[in-house]
Amino acid sequence: MYWTRLVAAVAVLGMLVMPALSRADVDPGQLYAPQGHAAAKPVDSMIAVAVGDAAPDFGLPALNGTVVRLSQFRGISNVVLSFVPAAFTPVCSGQWPGYNIARELFEQHNAVLLGITTDNLPSLHAWTRQMDPQGMWFPVLSDFWPHGAVASLYGILRPEGVTERAIFIIDRQGIIRHIEITDINLRPDLGGIIKKLSELQ
C-alpha cells in the first residue's frame, strides 16, 4: 500500500512539474487523419459560454446507472468538467488515467470531476475498464443521446460529432471561473487545472 501510494505521488508530481505536451510530442501515426485528408483542426467549434456566466445545467447518464446533474453540486463542491473527444483514442486514453492518480489533488480543493464524452455507455464502460480495471474514481457521463446536446449547450461540439478537448471549472455558486479549450490532439496541463482550483479557495 505504501509503495503504491508513493509511486502514485511521484507520478502526480511528474505531471505537475512537466510542461504540457506539445504537438511534436504526439506520435502522428496514432492520430486519425483519413488518407487524402488533413488531420483534424485543433479547435473547430464556437464557444457558447464565457467566464463569469452561470454554467448551464444538465443531466447525463453515468456508468453507475444514475443520472448526474450539474446543479446537484451547487453550494457543495467546485466542479471540473473534462470533455474529451472519443473513447479508445490515444490522447484521451492518456488524459483521464492521470486524473485517476491525482484524485487527492481534486479532493484537496473540494472539487468534483465529471468526465464527459459523446460515446455511448457500453463503449465508455469498456474503455474505462481497459484504462484501469477499477474504472475511474470520478463519474463518467455519456452525452451520446440526444447526441452531443450538452456539448452543444456549451458550444464545444465539433462538426464531426465529437467534443473539443475542454476543461470548465465551475465554483460552488455555479459560476464558470475558467475555460480551457486545447488542441484536440493535446492534453491540458494538469498543473494548470490545479492552480486554477487553488484560486477558488
Side-chain angles (χ1 to χ4, degrees):
M1 184 68 176
Y2 170 79
W3 287 108
T4 301
R5 293 177 66 87
L6 179 61
V7 169
V10 170
V12 169
L13 181 62
M15 286 187 288
L16 291 176
V17 301
M18 287 178 62
L21 290 174
S22 72
R23 203 174 178 84
D25 295 321
V26 180
D27 176 3
Q30 292 191 329
L31 302 179
Y32 177 66
Q35 190 171 15
H37 294 74
K41 292 181 181 178
V43 176
D44 197 8
S45 62
M46 186 68 71
I47 188 77
V49 295
V51 172
D53 288 353
D57 193 23
F58 60 83
L60 285 175
L63 281 179
N64 66 1
T66 63
V67 172
V68 173
R69 297 203 67 85
L70 176 63
S71 56
Q72 73 187 66
F73 303 104
R74 192 166 300 162
I76 301 172
S77 303
N78 302 311
V79 178
V80 178
L81 304 181
S82 171
F83 289 87
V84 298
F88 298 103
T89 53
V91 180
C92 299
S93 296
Q95 183 175 341
W96 283 1
Y99 299 161
N100 240 18
I101 297 171
R103 176 177 183 172
E104 289 184 10
L105 293 177
F106 287 94
E107 292 177 343
Q108 285 170 10
H109 295 90
N110 190 26
V112 172
L113 175 63
L114 302 178
I116 305 173
T117 85
T118 55
D119 298 284
N120 61 38
L121 286 171
S123 297
L124 288 173
H125 173 77
W127 180 47
T128 53
R129 294 292 167 167
Q130 182 186 76
M131 291 188 289
D132 187 323
Q134 304 302 315
M136 303 292 108
W137 65 267
F138 51 87
V140 173
L141 311 179
S142 170
D143 192 17
F144 179 70
W145 198 259
H147 192 78
V150 174
S152 294
L153 194 61
Y154 281 73
I156 55 166
L157 186 66
R158 296 171 62 99
E160 62 267 39
V162 302
T163 77
E164 302 289 1
R165 190 176 308 282
I167 296 288
F168 295 84
I169 296 180
I170 300 162
D171 67 17
R172 280 174 284 188
Q173 287 70 48
I175 303 300
I176 298 173
R177 300 290 297 275
H178 176 67
I179 299 173
E180 181 178 0
I181 300 175
T182 60
D183 183 327
I184 195 171
N185 290 317
L186 298 178
R187 292 196 303 269
D189 176 38
L190 175 60
I193 296 170
I194 299 303
K195 181 175 184 297
K196 290 296 181 183
L197 283 174
S198 69
E199 294 171 359
L200 300 183
Q201 304 303 307

Short mmCIF file of all heavy atoms in Angstrom, two decimals, residues 51-103:
data_model
loop_
_atom_site.label_atom_id
_atom_site.label_comp_id
_atom_site.label_asym_id
_atom_site.label_seq_id
_atom_site.Cartn_x
_atom_site.Cartn_y
_atom_site.Cartn_z
N VAL A 51 -16.38 32.95 -19.15
CA VAL A 51 -16.05 33.07 -17.73
C VAL A 51 -16.94 34.14 -17.10
O VAL A 51 -17.12 35.22 -17.67
CB VAL A 51 -14.56 33.43 -17.56
CG1 VAL A 51 -14.25 33.74 -16.09
CG2 VAL A 51 -13.67 32.27 -18.05
N GLY A 52 -17.54 33.81 -15.97
CA GLY A 52 -18.46 34.72 -15.30
C GLY A 52 -19.91 34.38 -15.53
O GLY A 52 -20.79 34.84 -14.80
N ASP A 53 -20.19 33.55 -16.53
CA ASP A 53 -21.56 33.10 -16.79
C ASP A 53 -21.98 32.04 -15.78
O ASP A 53 -21.14 31.30 -15.25
CB ASP A 53 -21.68 32.45 -18.19
CG ASP A 53 -21.59 33.46 -19.32
OD1 ASP A 53 -21.59 34.67 -19.05
OD2 ASP A 53 -21.52 33.01 -20.49
N ALA A 54 -23.29 31.95 -15.55
CA ALA A 54 -23.81 30.80 -14.81
C ALA A 54 -23.68 29.57 -15.71
O ALA A 54 -24.05 29.62 -16.90
CB ALA A 54 -25.27 31.02 -14.44
N ALA A 55 -23.13 28.51 -15.18
CA ALA A 55 -22.92 27.30 -16.00
C ALA A 55 -24.27 26.68 -16.35
O ALA A 55 -25.09 26.43 -15.46
CB ALA A 55 -22.07 26.29 -15.24
N PRO A 56 -24.53 26.42 -17.63
CA PRO A 56 -25.80 25.78 -18.00
C PRO A 56 -25.94 24.43 -17.31
O PRO A 56 -25.01 23.62 -17.30
CB PRO A 56 -25.66 25.62 -19.52
CG PRO A 56 -24.65 26.64 -19.95
CD PRO A 56 -23.69 26.74 -18.80
N ASP A 57 -27.12 24.21 -16.72
CA ASP A 57 -27.35 22.95 -16.03
C ASP A 57 -27.63 21.84 -17.04
O ASP A 57 -28.06 22.09 -18.17
CB ASP A 57 -28.53 23.09 -15.07
CG ASP A 57 -28.63 21.92 -14.10
OD1 ASP A 57 -27.60 21.25 -13.86
OD2 ASP A 57 -29.74 21.66 -13.59
N PHE A 58 -27.36 20.62 -16.61
CA PHE A 58 -27.63 19.47 -17.47
C PHE A 58 -27.72 18.22 -16.59
O PHE A 58 -27.28 18.22 -15.44
CB PHE A 58 -26.52 19.28 -18.52
CG PHE A 58 -25.15 19.05 -17.94
CD1 PHE A 58 -24.74 17.78 -17.51
CD2 PHE A 58 -24.25 20.10 -17.81
CE1 PHE A 58 -23.49 17.58 -16.96
CE2 PHE A 58 -22.98 19.90 -17.25
CZ PHE A 58 -22.61 18.64 -16.84
N GLY A 59 -28.29 17.19 -17.16
CA GLY A 59 -28.29 15.88 -16.53
C GLY A 59 -27.86 14.85 -17.57
O GLY A 59 -28.36 14.86 -18.69
N LEU A 60 -26.92 14.00 -17.19
CA LEU A 60 -26.42 12.99 -18.13
C LEU A 60 -26.32 11.63 -17.42
O LEU A 60 -26.02 11.57 -16.22
CB LEU A 60 -25.03 13.37 -18.66
CG LEU A 60 -24.96 14.49 -19.69
CD1 LEU A 60 -23.50 14.82 -20.01
CD2 LEU A 60 -25.70 14.12 -20.97
N PRO A 61 -26.54 10.54 -18.17
CA PRO A 61 -26.40 9.21 -17.57
C PRO A 61 -24.93 8.89 -17.29
O PRO A 61 -24.04 9.20 -18.08
CB PRO A 61 -26.98 8.28 -18.65
CG PRO A 61 -26.82 9.03 -19.93
CD PRO A 61 -26.97 10.49 -19.58
N ALA A 62 -24.73 8.25 -16.13
CA ALA A 62 -23.39 7.87 -15.71
C ALA A 62 -23.22 6.36 -15.82
O ALA A 62 -24.19 5.60 -15.92
CB ALA A 62 -23.15 8.31 -14.26
N LEU A 63 -21.97 5.93 -15.74
CA LEU A 63 -21.68 4.50 -15.87
C LEU A 63 -22.32 3.67 -14.76
O LEU A 63 -22.58 2.49 -14.94
CB LEU A 63 -20.17 4.28 -15.85
CG LEU A 63 -19.43 4.56 -17.17
CD1 LEU A 63 -17.94 4.32 -16.98
CD2 LEU A 63 -19.98 3.70 -18.30
N ASN A 64 -22.56 4.28 -13.59
CA ASN A 64 -23.15 3.51 -12.48
C ASN A 64 -24.67 3.42 -12.56
O ASN A 64 -25.31 2.95 -11.63
CB ASN A 64 -22.72 4.10 -11.14
CG ASN A 64 -23.28 5.49 -10.91
OD1 ASN A 64 -24.01 6.03 -11.74
ND2 ASN A 64 -22.91 6.08 -9.79
N GLY A 65 -25.26 3.90 -13.65
CA GLY A 65 -26.69 3.78 -13.84
C GLY A 65 -27.51 4.95 -13.33
O GLY A 65 -28.73 4.98 -13.50
N THR A 66 -26.86 5.93 -12.71
CA THR A 66 -27.57 7.10 -12.22
C THR A 66 -27.55 8.20 -13.28
O THR A 66 -26.85 8.09 -14.30
CB THR A 66 -26.93 7.65 -10.93
OG1 THR A 66 -25.60 8.08 -11.23
CG2 THR A 66 -26.87 6.56 -9.87
N VAL A 67 -28.33 9.25 -13.02
CA VAL A 67 -28.23 10.47 -13.84
C VAL A 67 -27.59 11.53 -12.96
O VAL A 67 -28.06 11.81 -11.84
CB VAL A 67 -29.62 10.94 -14.32
CG1 VAL A 67 -29.51 12.31 -14.99
CG2 VAL A 67 -30.20 9.92 -15.30
N VAL A 68 -26.50 12.10 -13.42
CA VAL A 68 -25.78 13.12 -12.67
C VAL A 68 -26.16 14.49 -13.23
O VAL A 68 -26.07 14.72 -14.44
CB VAL A 68 -24.26 12.91 -12.77
CG1 VAL A 68 -23.51 14.06 -12.12
CG2 VAL A 68 -23.87 11.58 -12.11
N ARG A 69 -26.60 15.36 -12.33
CA ARG A 69 -26.93 16.73 -12.73
C ARG A 69 -25.86 17.68 -12.20
O ARG A 69 -25.39 17.53 -11.06
CB ARG A 69 -28.29 17.16 -12.17
CG ARG A 69 -29.48 16.36 -12.68
CD ARG A 69 -30.76 17.17 -12.55
NE ARG A 69 -30.75 18.31 -13.45
CZ ARG A 69 -31.13 18.25 -14.73
NH1 ARG A 69 -31.55 17.13 -15.25
NH2 ARG A 69 -31.08 19.33 -15.48
N LEU A 70 -25.50 18.65 -13.00
CA LEU A 70 -24.52 19.64 -12.56
C LEU A 70 -25.02 20.37 -11.32
O LEU A 70 -24.26 20.61 -10.37
CB LEU A 70 -24.23 20.62 -13.70
CG LEU A 70 -23.29 21.77 -13.35
CD1 LEU A 70 -21.90 21.26 -12.98
CD2 LEU A 70 -23.20 22.76 -14.52
N SER A 71 -26.30 20.71 -11.30
CA SER A 71 -26.85 21.52 -10.21
C SER A 71 -26.83 20.80 -8.86
O SER A 71 -26.98 21.45 -7.83
CB SER A 71 -28.28 21.95 -10.55
OG SER A 71 -29.09 20.84 -10.84
N GLN A 72 -26.65 19.48 -8.84
CA GLN A 72 -26.64 18.78 -7.56
C GLN A 72 -25.40 19.12 -6.72
O GLN A 72 -25.38 18.84 -5.53
CB GLN A 72 -26.74 17.26 -7.77
CG GLN A 72 -25.49 16.60 -8.32
CD GLN A 72 -25.71 15.13 -8.67
OE1 GLN A 72 -26.47 14.79 -9.58
NE2 GLN A 72 -25.06 14.25 -7.92
N PHE A 73 -24.41 19.73 -7.34
CA PHE A 73 -23.19 20.10 -6.62
C PHE A 73 -23.19 21.56 -6.17
O PHE A 73 -22.26 22.01 -5.51
CB PHE A 73 -21.96 19.83 -7.50
CG PHE A 73 -21.87 18.40 -7.95
CD1 PHE A 73 -22.19 18.05 -9.26
CD2 PHE A 73 -21.50 17.39 -7.07
CE1 PHE A 73 -22.13 16.73 -9.69
CE2 PHE A 73 -21.45 16.07 -7.48
CZ PHE A 73 -21.77 15.74 -8.79
N ARG A 74 -24.23 22.33 -6.58
CA ARG A 74 -24.27 23.76 -6.27
C ARG A 74 -24.35 23.96 -4.75
O ARG A 74 -25.14 23.32 -4.07
CB ARG A 74 -25.46 24.42 -6.97
CG ARG A 74 -25.41 25.95 -6.94
CD ARG A 74 -26.39 26.53 -7.94
NE ARG A 74 -26.10 26.09 -9.29
CZ ARG A 74 -26.97 26.16 -10.31
NH1 ARG A 74 -28.17 26.63 -10.10
NH2 ARG A 74 -26.63 25.75 -11.51
N GLY A 75 -23.50 24.83 -4.25
CA GLY A 75 -23.45 25.09 -2.81
C GLY A 75 -22.66 24.06 -2.04
O GLY A 75 -22.52 24.18 -0.82
N ILE A 76 -22.14 23.04 -2.73
CA ILE A 76 -21.44 21.94 -2.05
C ILE A 76 -19.98 21.83 -2.51
O ILE A 76 -19.06 21.81 -1.69
CB ILE A 76 -22.16 20.60 -2.31
CG1 ILE A 76 -23.61 20.67 -1.82
CG2 ILE A 76 -21.41 19.45 -1.65
CD1 ILE A 76 -24.45 19.47 -2.22
N SER A 77 -19.78 21.75 -3.82
CA SER A 77 -18.43 21.47 -4.35
C SER A 77 -18.15 22.32 -5.58
O SER A 77 -19.07 22.69 -6.32
CB SER A 77 -18.31 19.99 -4.77
OG SER A 77 -18.61 19.13 -3.71
N ASN A 78 -16.88 22.60 -5.78
CA ASN A 78 -16.45 23.08 -7.08
C ASN A 78 -16.56 21.91 -8.07
O ASN A 78 -16.51 20.74 -7.66
CB ASN A 78 -15.00 23.56 -7.03
CG ASN A 78 -14.81 24.67 -6.01
OD1 ASN A 78 -15.56 25.64 -5.99
ND2 ASN A 78 -13.80 24.52 -5.16
N VAL A 79 -16.70 22.21 -9.34
CA VAL A 79 -16.84 21.15 -10.34
C VAL A 79 -15.87 21.41 -11.50
O VAL A 79 -15.73 22.55 -11.96
CB VAL A 79 -18.28 21.11 -10.91
CG1 VAL A 79 -18.40 20.04 -11.99
CG2 VAL A 79 -19.29 20.84 -9.79
N VAL A 80 -15.19 20.36 -11.92
CA VAL A 80 -14.37 20.41 -13.12
C VAL A 80 -15.03 19.53 -14.17
O VAL A 80 -15.22 18.33 -13.94
CB VAL A 80 -12.93 19.91 -12.85
CG1 VAL A 80 -12.11 19.93 -14.15
CG2 VAL A 80 -12.26 20.75 -11.78
N LEU A 81 -15.42 20.12 -15.29
CA LEU A 81 -15.94 19.34 -16.41
C LEU A 81 -14.78 19.06 -17.35
O LEU A 81 -14.12 19.98 -17.82
CB LEU A 81 -17.03 20.12 -17.18
CG LEU A 81 -18.24 20.62 -16.39
CD1 LEU A 81 -19.22 21.34 -17.34
CD2 LEU A 81 -18.93 19.49 -15.66
N SER A 82 -14.54 17.78 -17.60
CA SER A 82 -13.50 17.39 -18.55
C SER A 82 -14.16 16.72 -19.75
O SER A 82 -14.58 15.56 -19.67
CB SER A 82 -12.51 16.42 -17.89
OG SER A 82 -11.62 15.89 -18.87
N PHE A 83 -14.29 17.47 -20.83
CA PHE A 83 -14.80 16.91 -22.09
C PHE A 83 -13.61 16.37 -22.87
O PHE A 83 -12.60 17.06 -23.04
CB PHE A 83 -15.48 17.99 -22.93
CG PHE A 83 -16.80 18.48 -22.40
CD1 PHE A 83 -16.86 19.51 -21.47
CD2 PHE A 83 -17.99 17.93 -22.85
CE1 PHE A 83 -18.08 19.99 -20.99
CE2 PHE A 83 -19.22 18.38 -22.39
CZ PHE A 83 -19.26 19.42 -21.45
N VAL A 84 -13.74 15.13 -23.35
CA VAL A 84 -12.70 14.57 -24.24
C VAL A 84 -13.38 14.05 -25.50
O VAL A 84 -14.55 13.64 -25.47
CB VAL A 84 -11.88 13.46 -23.56
CG1 VAL A 84 -11.13 14.00 -22.35
CG2 VAL A 84 -12.73 12.27 -23.18
N PRO A 85 -12.66 14.06 -26.63
CA PRO A 85 -13.31 13.76 -27.91
C PRO A 85 -13.84 12.34 -28.06
O PRO A 85 -14.97 12.16 -28.52
CB PRO A 85 -12.21 14.04 -28.94
CG PRO A 85 -11.29 15.00 -28.25
CD PRO A 85 -11.31 14.61 -26.81
N ALA A 86 -13.06 11.33 -27.71
CA ALA A 86 -13.53 9.99 -28.06
C ALA A 86 -12.81 8.91 -27.27
O ALA A 86 -11.60 8.98 -27.04
CB ALA A 86 -13.32 9.73 -29.56
N ALA A 87 -13.58 7.89 -26.89
CA ALA A 87 -13.01 6.73 -26.20
C ALA A 87 -12.04 5.99 -27.11
O ALA A 87 -12.14 6.05 -28.34
CB ALA A 87 -14.14 5.78 -25.78
N PHE A 88 -11.10 5.32 -26.50
CA PHE A 88 -10.13 4.43 -27.18
C PHE A 88 -9.16 5.17 -28.10
O PHE A 88 -8.49 4.54 -28.90
CB PHE A 88 -10.86 3.33 -27.97
CG PHE A 88 -11.68 2.41 -27.12
CD1 PHE A 88 -13.06 2.53 -27.07
CD2 PHE A 88 -11.08 1.43 -26.33
CE1 PHE A 88 -13.83 1.69 -26.27
CE2 PHE A 88 -11.83 0.58 -25.53
CZ PHE A 88 -13.22 0.71 -25.51
N THR A 89 -9.10 6.47 -27.99
CA THR A 89 -8.13 7.22 -28.79
C THR A 89 -6.91 7.53 -27.91
O THR A 89 -7.04 7.61 -26.69
CB THR A 89 -8.74 8.51 -29.35
OG1 THR A 89 -9.32 9.26 -28.28
CG2 THR A 89 -9.81 8.19 -30.39
N PRO A 90 -5.73 7.67 -28.51
CA PRO A 90 -4.51 7.69 -27.69
C PRO A 90 -4.39 8.85 -26.73
O PRO A 90 -3.96 8.65 -25.59
CB PRO A 90 -3.39 7.71 -28.75
CG PRO A 90 -4.03 8.17 -30.01
CD PRO A 90 -5.45 7.71 -29.95
N VAL A 91 -4.74 10.06 -27.15
CA VAL A 91 -4.56 11.20 -26.25
C VAL A 91 -5.57 11.13 -25.10
O VAL A 91 -5.22 11.34 -23.93
CB VAL A 91 -4.69 12.53 -27.03
CG1 VAL A 91 -4.49 13.71 -26.09
CG2 VAL A 91 -3.67 12.58 -28.16
N CYS A 92 -6.82 10.80 -25.42
CA CYS A 92 -7.85 10.67 -24.36
C CYS A 92 -7.48 9.57 -23.39
O CYS A 92 -7.71 9.69 -22.18
CB CYS A 92 -9.21 10.38 -24.99
SG CYS A 92 -9.82 11.66 -26.11
N SER A 93 -6.91 8.49 -23.90
CA SER A 93 -6.56 7.35 -23.04
C SER A 93 -5.38 7.66 -22.13
O SER A 93 -5.10 6.88 -21.20
CB SER A 93 -6.25 6.12 -23.90
OG SER A 93 -7.40 5.72 -24.62
N GLY A 94 -4.69 8.76 -22.39
CA GLY A 94 -3.62 9.19 -21.50
C GLY A 94 -4.07 10.26 -20.52
O GLY A 94 -3.41 10.50 -19.52
N GLN A 95 -5.18 10.91 -20.83
CA GLN A 95 -5.62 12.06 -20.00
C GLN A 95 -6.32 11.63 -18.72
O GLN A 95 -5.91 12.03 -17.63
CB GLN A 95 -6.53 12.96 -20.83
CG GLN A 95 -6.98 14.22 -20.09
CD GLN A 95 -7.79 15.16 -20.96
OE1 GLN A 95 -7.76 15.09 -22.19
NE2 GLN A 95 -8.54 16.04 -20.33
N TRP A 96 -7.37 10.85 -18.82
CA TRP A 96 -8.16 10.52 -17.62
C TRP A 96 -7.42 9.64 -16.63
O TRP A 96 -7.59 9.82 -15.41
CB TRP A 96 -9.49 9.91 -18.03
CG TRP A 96 -10.49 10.94 -18.51
CD1 TRP A 96 -10.28 12.31 -18.61
CD2 TRP A 96 -11.83 10.71 -18.92
NE1 TRP A 96 -11.41 12.92 -19.08
CE2 TRP A 96 -12.38 11.97 -19.28
CE3 TRP A 96 -12.62 9.58 -19.05
CZ2 TRP A 96 -13.69 12.11 -19.75
CZ3 TRP A 96 -13.92 9.71 -19.50
CH2 TRP A 96 -14.45 10.97 -19.83
N PRO A 97 -6.59 8.68 -17.05
CA PRO A 97 -5.83 7.94 -16.03
C PRO A 97 -4.95 8.85 -15.18
O PRO A 97 -4.71 8.58 -14.00
CB PRO A 97 -5.01 6.95 -16.87
CG PRO A 97 -5.85 6.72 -18.07
CD PRO A 97 -6.44 8.07 -18.38
N GLY A 98 -4.47 9.95 -15.77
CA GLY A 98 -3.70 10.92 -14.99
C GLY A 98 -4.55 11.54 -13.89
O GLY A 98 -4.10 11.74 -12.76
N TYR A 99 -5.82 11.82 -14.20
CA TYR A 99 -6.72 12.37 -13.19
C TYR A 99 -7.03 11.32 -12.12
O TYR A 99 -7.30 11.67 -10.96
CB TYR A 99 -8.02 12.85 -13.83
CG TYR A 99 -7.84 13.95 -14.87
CD1 TYR A 99 -8.84 14.21 -15.80
CD2 TYR A 99 -6.68 14.71 -14.92
CE1 TYR A 99 -8.68 15.21 -16.75
CE2 TYR A 99 -6.51 15.70 -15.86
CZ TYR A 99 -7.52 15.95 -16.78
OH TYR A 99 -7.35 16.93 -17.72
N ASN A 100 -7.02 10.06 -12.52
CA ASN A 100 -7.23 8.99 -11.53
C ASN A 100 -6.14 9.03 -10.47
O ASN A 100 -6.40 8.91 -9.28
CB ASN A 100 -7.20 7.63 -12.25
CG ASN A 100 -8.50 6.87 -12.09
OD1 ASN A 100 -9.53 7.45 -11.75
ND2 ASN A 100 -8.47 5.58 -12.35
N ILE A 101 -4.89 9.20 -10.93
CA ILE A 101 -3.76 9.24 -9.99
C ILE A 101 -3.83 10.49 -9.12
O ILE A 101 -3.44 10.47 -7.95
CB ILE A 101 -2.43 9.21 -10.78
CG1 ILE A 101 -2.31 7.89 -11.55
CG2 ILE A 101 -1.24 9.39 -9.86
CD1 ILE A 101 -1.14 7.86 -12.53
N ALA A 102 -4.37 11.57 -9.67
CA ALA A 102 -4.36 12.86 -8.98
C ALA A 102 -5.63 13.10 -8.16
O ALA A 102 -5.91 14.24 -7.79
CB ALA A 102 -4.18 13.98 -9.99
N ARG A 103 -6.37 12.08 -7.85
CA ARG A 103 -7.65 12.24 -7.12
C ARG A 103 -7.53 13.12 -5.89
O ARG A 103 -8.36 14.00 -5.65
CB ARG A 103 -8.17 10.85 -6.73
CG ARG A 103 -9.43 10.90 -5.89
CD ARG A 103 -9.95 9.51 -5.59
NE ARG A 103 -11.21 9.56 -4.86
CZ ARG A 103 -11.97 8.49 -4.60
NH1 ARG A 103 -11.58 7.30 -5.02
NH2 ARG A 103 -13.09 8.62 -3.94
#
